[in-house]
């Protein structure tokens, strides 16, 4: 009797043959190795289940696709690429004339995923409701031919169901994460149900406190917090915001510079999650009305990562922001920071000077810390003593002697520098030159034979000299110590997975101030938007820089009455490439879009 199940081993192999993902020889190898590979996969699955904390979790059966992936057959048309799960399901979806979707967890509604069908049903049939579109419930599944399950979902939701194809691994991961997180939040909410009062909420300050707060060591809260942190790592988030609102607690994550709303949690678990994070960061859990700062050290894929924790009282309670300090991002080779070859030569020449001051300028979030830490790592050798003063220490590193600011104990940027000079340093990094005392002590260190690196919050490189003068630093001391100034910004890169070219007239670019008026057109690039970049068209960021060496001619025009326009013109004459010009270079190289150039730079 002919097997009509499209997902039967025979039909899957026939489909892959027709598609061209495997050939007859590969089919024979799969059939020979099938039984052994299936046994190994079942043993591995059972071992994982035995060590898992949840013994009741439903085990998904091993399919022929799992076996093919395990055997890892090569593609006919590209032997270098092994056949992976996504390629198989993508090809099968096309063959079945069904849409394939790589699911973006950030765009899923927690309540839709977990509230439409029970967890056991979802795991048994491997189905995830992902969105409602035109009165249709879109359900992602590796088995779009389970008609009975689809009809059950349709009856339960009272909506017509449209199946789309997704990979089995992705579906299982989503179900475990979403239902596990939802279970923890619901259990925590139940424990903390009843009339509760948030004393930090300005709208409820006249009410009396009643009931006990959910303890921060509760297992449900521990799971929920662990999930939030691991999820932030998975999504490449740089910051996690947990914000109390009037009726909910909102969780947002900053990815590639943009904030995405991830979860909307019940308000009555907010204080418990905060208490857990405060406990991990060694903050005072009882203190809710004063800002606090702390840090959490954790594992990220076998590498130690640090999370900087900051709390502050806001209108509806206490807000917490966690900045994830990833060592893979903070410590990079200079050629991966986005420098042009010309600017990199100038910057390396400056940092290899025996003494003097180098300033890195830009607003918050422009990558200054990454540049400084990468520079210190580059300069660090057993023969060199590197000392840093930071507020706070961004990332603890054993090669540096790092000092944290503690104004309550008299440890400020300005005061500690006098003590550092007695510690026999070779290189000193000052977190920020924010006042005259810090600037004077930094200059003193440079005059006495030390290399000093620091930051300033200015818009471009020439403005840093004016800023030092504004702080009250005499111009002759600037002339004696300054080596060079680097201004920088972070600009989003086009996603390589959905990159496409398009024609644009020079006249259109000229009207935006990106080139001189001329006839003709050129090819630029943009991202169409895909699951990898969450539909934004951008994936990752890179630096753009403006390097200003403090040359003899610039020294001569540096005076107490310095005109910034004259300084900027002189710097341009000597070959300084501006932030806008460097951004345009990246535009023409196909690394970013003209929209990003206009957003990040100005002329």
């Amino acid at each position: 009797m002919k097997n009509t199940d499209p997902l039967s081993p025979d039909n899957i192999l026939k489909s892959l043959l027709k598609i061209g993902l495997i050939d007859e020889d590969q089919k024979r190898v799969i059939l020979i190795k099938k039984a052994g590979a299936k046994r190994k996969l079942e043993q591995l699955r059972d071992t994982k289940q035995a060590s898992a904390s949840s013994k009741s979790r439903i085990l998904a059966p091993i399919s022929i696709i799992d076996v093919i992936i395990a055997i890892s057959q090569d593609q006919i048309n590209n032997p270098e690429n092994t056949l992976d799960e996504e390629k198989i399901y993508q090809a099968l979806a096309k063959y079945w004339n069904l849409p394939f979707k790589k699911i973006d967890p950030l765009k899923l509604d927690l309540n839709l995923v977990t509230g439409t069908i029970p967890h056991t049903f979802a795991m048994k049939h491997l189905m995830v409701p992902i969105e409602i579109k035109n009165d249709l419930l879109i359900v992602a599944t590796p088995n779009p031919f389970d008609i009975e399950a689809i009809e059950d979902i349709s009856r339960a939701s009272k909506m017509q169901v449209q199946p789309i194809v997704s990979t089995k691994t992705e579906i299982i991961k989503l179900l475990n994460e979403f239902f596990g997180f939802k279970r923890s939040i619901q259990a925590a909410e139940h424990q903390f149900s009843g009339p509760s009062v948030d004393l930090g909420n300005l709208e409820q300050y006249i009410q009396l406190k009643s009931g006990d707060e959910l303890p921060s060591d509760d297992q449900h809260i521990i799971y929920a917090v662990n999930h939030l942190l691991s999820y932030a790592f998975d999504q490449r988030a740089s910051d996690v915001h947990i914000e109390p609102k009037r009726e909910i607690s909102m969780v947002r994550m900053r990815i590639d510079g943009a904030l995405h709303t991830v979860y909307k949690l019940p308000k009555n678990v907010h204080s418990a999650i905060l208490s857990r994070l405060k406990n991990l960061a060694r903050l005072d859990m009882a203190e809710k009305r004063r800002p606090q700062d702390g840090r959490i050290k954790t594992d990220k894929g076998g590498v130690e990562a640090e999370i900087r924790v900051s709390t502050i009282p806001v209108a509806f309670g206490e807000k917490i922001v966690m900045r994830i300090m990833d060592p893979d991002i903070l410590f990079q080779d200079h050629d991966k920071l986005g420098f042009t070859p010309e600017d990199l030569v100038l910057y390396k020449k400056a940092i290899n000077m025996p003494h003097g001051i180098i300033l890195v300028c830009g607003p918050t979030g422009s990558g200054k810390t990454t540049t400084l830490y990468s520079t210190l790592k580059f300069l660090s050798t057993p023969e060199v003593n590197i000392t840093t003063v930071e507020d706070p220490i961004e990332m603890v590193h054993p090669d540096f002697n790092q000092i944290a600011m503690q104004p309550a104990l008299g440890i400020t940027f300005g005061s500690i520098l006098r003590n550092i000079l007695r510690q026999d340093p070779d290189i000193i990094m000052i977190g920020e030159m924010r006042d005259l005392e810090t600037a004077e002590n930094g200059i003193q260190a440079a005059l006495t034979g030390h290399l000093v690196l620091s930051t300033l919050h200015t818009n471009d490189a020439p403005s840093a000299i004016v800023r030092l003068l504004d702080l009250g630093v005499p111009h002759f001391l600037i002339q004696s110590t300054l080596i060079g100034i680097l201004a920088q910004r972070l600009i989003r890169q086009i996603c390589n997975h959905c990159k496409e070219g398009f024609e644009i007239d020079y006249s259109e670019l000229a009207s935006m101030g990106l080139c001189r008026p001329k006839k003709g057109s050129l090819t630029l690039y943009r991202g169409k938007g895909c699951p990898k970049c969450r539909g934004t068209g951008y994936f990752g960021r890179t630096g753009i820089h403006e390097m200003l060496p403090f040359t003899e001619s610039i020294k001569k025009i540096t005076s107490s009455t310095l005109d910034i326009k004259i300084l900027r013109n002189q710097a341009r004459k000597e070959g300084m490439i501006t932030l806008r010009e460097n951004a345009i270079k990246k535009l023409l190289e196909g690394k970013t879009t003209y929209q990003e150039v206009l957003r990040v730079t100005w002329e």
Side-chain angles (χ1 to χ4, degrees):
M1 187 177 173
K2 189 176 179 182
N3 192 340
T4 57
D5 178 11
L7 286 169
S8 69
D10 284 345
N11 285 334
I12 288 290
L13 289 172
K14 282 178 186 174
S15 301
L16 294 178
L17 268 173
K18 285 181 183 177
I19 295 163
L21 282 184
I22 62 171
D23 56 25
E24 287 289 350
D25 289 338
Q26 290 171 310
K27 180 184 173 183
R28 277 193 293 275
V29 172
I30 291 167
L31 291 172
I32 292 166
K33 294 183 177 180
K34 183 174 78 169
K38 189 173 181 180
R39 274 196 305 274
K40 281 183 183 176
L41 287 170
E42 285 172 344
Q43 287 169 3
L44 183 64
R45 181 195 65 180
D46 295 342
T47 304
K48 280 184 179 177
Q49 176 64 12
S51 62
S53 57
S54 172
K55 300 289 189 279
S56 61
R57 191 169 289 173
I58 296 168
L59 300 179
I62 303 298
S63 69
I64 185 64
I65 295 174
D66 299 323
V67 170
I68 294 169
I69 295 160
I71 295 170
S72 193
Q73 292 297 307
D74 290 339
Q75 279 187 296
I76 296 168
N77 57 356
N78 194 353
E80 293 179 1
N81 282 340
T82 54
L83 208 54
D84 64 25
E85 189 180 21
E86 191 172 322
K87 284 176 191 165
I88 292 174
Y89 278 107
Q90 214 164 4
L92 287 172
K94 194 173 181 181
Y95 181 72
W96 295 331
N97 201 24
L98 285 168
F100 174 86
K101 187 173 181 70
K102 185 172 175 63
I103 302 168
D104 179 3
L106 289 181
K107 292 185 178 173
L108 295 185
D109 183 340
L110 180 67
N111 292 325
L112 178 66
V113 172
T114 59
T116 309
I117 54 177
H119 184 209
T120 50
F121 182 93
M123 281 301 293
K124 182 180 177 183
H125 298 283
L126 295 179
M127 293 193 172
V128 177
I130 59 169
E131 66 175 315
I132 297 170
K133 197 172 183 181
N134 300 328
D135 295 327
L136 283 176
L137 179 63
I138 313 296
V139 173
T141 176
N143 180 7
F145 303 104
D146 190 344
I147 305 300
E148 191 177 333
I150 289 170
E151 287 175 352
D152 287 342
I153 295 172
S154 183
R155 279 193 295 271
S157 63
K158 297 179 181 176
M159 297 177 73
Q160 196 175 343
V161 174
Q162 181 184 324
I164 62 168
V165 180
S166 286
T167 64
K168 179 180 171 183
T169 303
E170 192 171 34
I171 296 294
I172 292 172
K173 185 171 185 286
L174 279 171
L175 288 172
N176 286 334
E177 285 185 353
F178 273 69
F179 275 97
F181 184 63
K182 178 76 170 181
R183 240 188 342 259
S184 298
I185 292 299
Q186 282 178 335
E189 185 182 11
H190 177 70
Q191 270 182 273
F192 197 39
S193 60
S196 63
V197 177
D198 183 352
L199 290 182
N201 188 333
L202 296 182
E203 294 190 337
Q204 301 179 30
Y205 73 99
I206 60 169
Q207 296 183 30
L208 298 175
K209 188 171 182 180
S210 62
D212 295 324
E213 288 192 354
L214 188 64
S216 62
D217 59 352
D218 178 86
Q219 60 176 346
H220 305 300
I221 289 301
I222 289 172
Y223 178 88
V225 169
N226 288 349
H227 169 80
L228 283 176
L229 295 179
S230 60
Y231 195 55
F233 289 146
D234 289 345
Q235 299 301 321
R236 304 180 296 109
S238 60
D239 301 85
V240 180
H241 295 235
I242 303 176
E243 306 170 353
K245 304 299 180 187
R246 182 177 285 109
E247 295 172 353
I248 60 165
S249 176
M250 187 180 287
V251 180
R252 298 196 290 170
M253 293 183 185
R254 190 178 294 279
I255 303 163
D256 292 337
L259 276 171
H260 299 260
T261 300
V262 180
Y263 295 124
K264 292 177 182 176
L265 306 179
K267 181 67 181 291
N268 51 7
V269 301
H270 178 81
S271 60
I273 288 174
L274 241 68
S275 294
R276 174 64 183 165
L277 289 167
K278 281 183 172 183
N279 188 22
L280 292 173
R282 297 180 181 178
L283 300 179
D284 183 353
M285 292 198 294
E287 180 56 73
K288 297 179 185 295
R289 302 186 184 189
R290 280 194 310 177
Q292 295 188 73
D293 292 295
R295 60 196 325 114
I296 300 169
K297 195 156 197 153
T298 186
D299 175 79
K300 184 197 170 194
V303 179
E304 280 189 352
E306 288 198 23
I307 300 168
R308 217 172 75 196
V309 180
S310 170
T311 69
I312 196 164
V314 292
F316 295 111
E318 200 174 5
K319 176 181 173 178
I320 192 165
V321 175
M322 294 176 285
R323 171 156 286 189
I324 297 167
M325 314 306 296
D326 188 341
D328 293 335
I329 293 172
L330 276 180
F331 300 102
Q332 297 188 53
D333 294 334
H334 284 125
D335 54 4
K336 293 179 182 175
L337 294 177
F339 280 101
T340 61
E342 301 85 356
D343 282 343
L344 186 56
V345 168
L346 293 171
Y347 185 67
K348 283 194 170 179
K349 183 180 177 183
I351 63 175
N352 281 302
M353 296 290 279
H355 54 81
I357 294 176
I358 298 165
L359 296 173
V360 180
C361 305
T364 303
S366 59
K368 300 189 298 295
T369 301
T370 298
T371 299
L372 284 175
Y373 270 55
S374 300
T375 301
L376 292 178
K377 184 68 179 167
F378 172 78
L379 295 171
S380 176
T381 64
E383 295 81 28
V384 171
N385 175 17
I386 296 175
T387 303
T388 74
V389 193
E390 303 171 63
D391 181 25
I393 295 171
E394 301 277 0
M395 172 67 108
V396 176
H397 194 281
D399 288 356
F400 317 145
N401 301 293
Q402 294 167 281
I403 302 164
M405 283 260 293
Q406 298 182 69
L409 302 178
I411 301 175
T412 63
F413 283 133
S415 64
I416 196 64
L417 281 170
R418 291 190 293 272
N419 303 93
I420 288 172
L421 292 176
R422 294 193 282 272
Q423 290 282 312
D424 187 31
D426 296 292
I427 299 167
I428 300 169
M429 194 271 272
I430 304 167
E432 183 190 345
M433 283 196 177
R434 56 176 66 159
D435 52 43
L436 179 58
E437 184 188 14
T438 307
E440 284 179 338
N441 283 300
I443 285 169
Q444 188 60 40
L447 287 171
T448 51
H450 304 90
L451 184 65
V452 178
L453 291 91
S454 188
T455 70
L456 268 180
H457 290 290
T458 62
N459 289 328
D460 58 9
S463 298
I465 299 173
V466 177
R467 174 74 177 134
L468 288 176
L469 291 166
D470 287 345
L471 285 175
V473 180
H475 69 275
F476 55 86
L477 289 180
I478 298 173
Q479 291 172 332
S480 306
T481 54
L482 197 58
I483 300 171
I485 304 161
L486 178 75
Q488 66 177 70
R489 295 290 187 283
L490 290 177
I491 198 165
R492 289 186 293 176
Q493 298 185 100
I494 298 169
C495 172
N496 285 323
H497 299 93
C498 61
K499 188 174 182 178
E500 64 173 6
F502 68 99
E503 293 290 315
I504 187 168
D505 288 338
Y506 278 109
S507 59
E508 192 175 341
L509 287 177
S511 68
M512 294 182 279
L514 297 179
C515 71
R516 290 178 181 173
K518 58 179 175 179
K519 292 182 180 179
S521 63
L522 78 161
T523 302
L524 296 181
Y525 295 88
R526 63 190 170 204
K528 288 187 292 185
C530 68
K532 292 277 187 184
C533 62
R534 297 178 189 84
T536 63
Y538 300 101
F539 190 95
R541 292 187 292 175
T542 188
I544 52 169
H545 303 88
E546 181 175 287
M547 184 65 201
L548 172 61
F550 200 58
T551 59
E552 288 300 322
S553 57
I554 298 230
K555 280 182 186 178
K556 285 177 184 175
I557 61 172
T558 300
S559 67
S560 56
T561 57
L562 174 65
D563 186 331
I564 185 69
K565 288 182 181 176
I566 295 172
L567 174 60
R568 197 172 281 127
N569 290 336
Q570 182 62 35
R572 295 289 294 277
K573 280 180 191 174
E574 296 189 11
M576 182 187 80
I577 304 167
T578 65
L579 288 165
R580 166 64 65 90
E581 289 165 346
N582 269 327
I584 291 171
K585 280 188 179 182
K586 284 188 166 48
L587 170 69
L588 299 176
E589 290 167 2
K591 292 179 180 176
T592 192
T593 63
Y594 69 83
Q595 290 94 337
E596 270 296 282
V597 174
L598 293 170
R599 184 182 71 86
V600 174
T601 66
W602 69 98
E603 277 294 296

